[in-house]
Amino acid sequence: MKYIRNILLLICMCCMLGACGNMEDKPENPRDTTTAQETAETKETAETEDTSENKETAAEETAESQEQETEETDETSQTAEETTEKSETVEETTETEEAGTPQQETADPSAITVLKYATTSVRVRTAPSLEAEIFKVLQRRDEVGVISDDGQWSKVLIDGYVYYVASEYLKEKTEGSKDFLVVIDAGHQGKGNSEKEPVGPGASEMKAKVSSGTTGCVSGWAEYELNLAVSLKLEEELLARGYEVLMVRTNHDVNISNAERAQVANDAGADAFIRIHANGSENASVHGAMTLCQTASNPYNGALYQESKDLAVCVLDNMVAATGCKRQKVWETDTMSGINWCQVPVTIVEMGYMTNPEEDALMATEDYQWKIAAGIADGIDQYFGF
């Protein structure tokens, strides 16, 4: 009985062990399986949806980006169009302004009250103001018809239109006026200046600025005295003939270098620069008159050679004719500072030799000085075609 009970117990234990094994191998609960599948599907769906959403978001962002770029491009294009339109507007405005600028006042030639000429290069303006637009530039001796003059601005007529010129630069054209400016330099001065200056613009060669000149062997006159005496007579003669005259010096107490004397003529825009001198020589028998000018190859003002040469010839020939003195020559030289610095036609007149007793004595007389002055003036007349 005990034996049977043990067998039954053993059987029960085996059954129990089998049940436990079957329990471990038993399939998952369908509900649990479904839940897992649903979870997996949900996860997969979520991932799919996330991916789709990401794709859609990316697509939307790309589209937005493209749209934004398109809008920016459109805006840029629009801005460029606006800029172009603005530029055209400015141009159109400018054109409109130009088109709308009132024309210069007109006047009839009968409104002209007097003819004047420019004494130097001077600006012609559209209104009586230094701020007004410059219409053109009148050159020295250019003539212009003046309608009125308030003392500061002259109202002038050019090609039927009214313009304005500063009154101080206009001079009335009078009957008999030759409208030419002659600058006269009485050579040397009371006290020489041995300081050096270049012989020409940019030259390395240096010469004394100015000397006091030679001295009369009979008269005892200093050359600077004789030069001024004749120069003042020449001034009077030229003024009487209708020339405009400018004197470099009118007394002996000056200190003006040869280069500075030339600059006076340059600044004035001289039509002719006459430099009055007297000669000297170690040989007392040497006498006669000569004139000087630059050579054609002068490195400073060779372009003025022909004008200066013509002036020198005219002056010498007529002075010889007026005085009866010996004609020496026209000396062409590039050694004279007072010539090299000139930018206008120039000649040096050597009236005669103060080292020659006869010539020195003649040049000291009033009568002979007037003959020299008249002869030089005749030469200037010939040079200008009178």
Side-chain angles (χ1 to χ4, degrees), residues 39-200:
T39 302
E41 288 175 358
T42 301
K43 183 177 181 181
E44 183 177 353
T45 301
E47 289 177 351
T48 302
E49 288 177 353
D50 288 343
T51 303
S52 298
E53 287 177 358
N54 289 339
K55 287 183 180 179
E56 288 177 0
T57 302
E60 288 176 358
E61 289 176 352
T62 301
E64 288 177 358
S65 176
Q66 290 177 347
E67 184 177 358
Q68 183 176 2
E69 289 177 354
T70 302
E71 289 176 353
E72 290 176 352
T73 303
D74 291 341
E75 288 176 357
T76 303
S77 176
Q78 183 177 0
T79 302
E81 290 176 357
E82 289 175 353
T83 302
T84 303
E85 290 176 359
K86 184 177 181 181
S87 175
E88 290 175 353
T89 302
V90 171
E91 290 177 0
E92 289 175 359
T93 302
T94 303
E95 291 174 359
T96 302
E97 289 175 351
E98 290 177 353
T101 301
Q103 289 187 343
Q104 201 68 19
E105 179 187 350
T106 60
D108 191 86
S110 61
I112 295 175
T113 59
V114 64
L115 283 177
K116 292 188 178 183
Y117 64 91
T119 58
T120 187
S121 296
V122 59
R123 296 178 179 90
V124 178
R125 297 186 181 272
T126 57
S129 167
L130 293 176
E131 304 300 321
E133 181 183 351
I134 298 171
F135 168 64
K136 64 179 292 186
V137 175
L138 289 178
Q139 300 302 319
R140 176 174 163 72
R141 298 193 310 278
D142 282 353
E143 294 183 11
V144 66
V146 177
I147 297 174
S148 62
D149 180 1
D150 64 7
Q152 184 176 3
W153 291 96
S154 291
K155 188 176 183 179
V156 302
L157 186 65
I158 300 176
D159 297 330
Y161 293 95
V162 173
Y163 297 97
Y164 297 85
V165 178
S167 299
E168 63 180 305
Y169 300 112
L170 294 180
K171 185 175 181 179
E172 185 174 349
K173 182 177 175 63
T174 58
E175 186 177 353
S177 173
K178 291 184 170 63
D179 301 334
F180 289 106
L181 172 63
V182 179
V183 175
I184 301 173
D185 172 30
H188 304 291
Q189 58 194 33
K191 185 178 180 180
N193 184 348
S194 60
E195 293 179 5
K196 304 294 185 182
E197 68 181 357
V199 71

Side-chain angles (χ1 to χ4, degrees), residues 201 262-263 265-266 269-270 273 300-301 304 338-346:
Q263 196 59 47
N266 294 341
F273 185 29
Y300 314 109
N301 54 16
L304 289 168
I339 289 179
N340 294 340
W341 282 91
C342 281
Q343 295 302 317
V344 297
V346 57

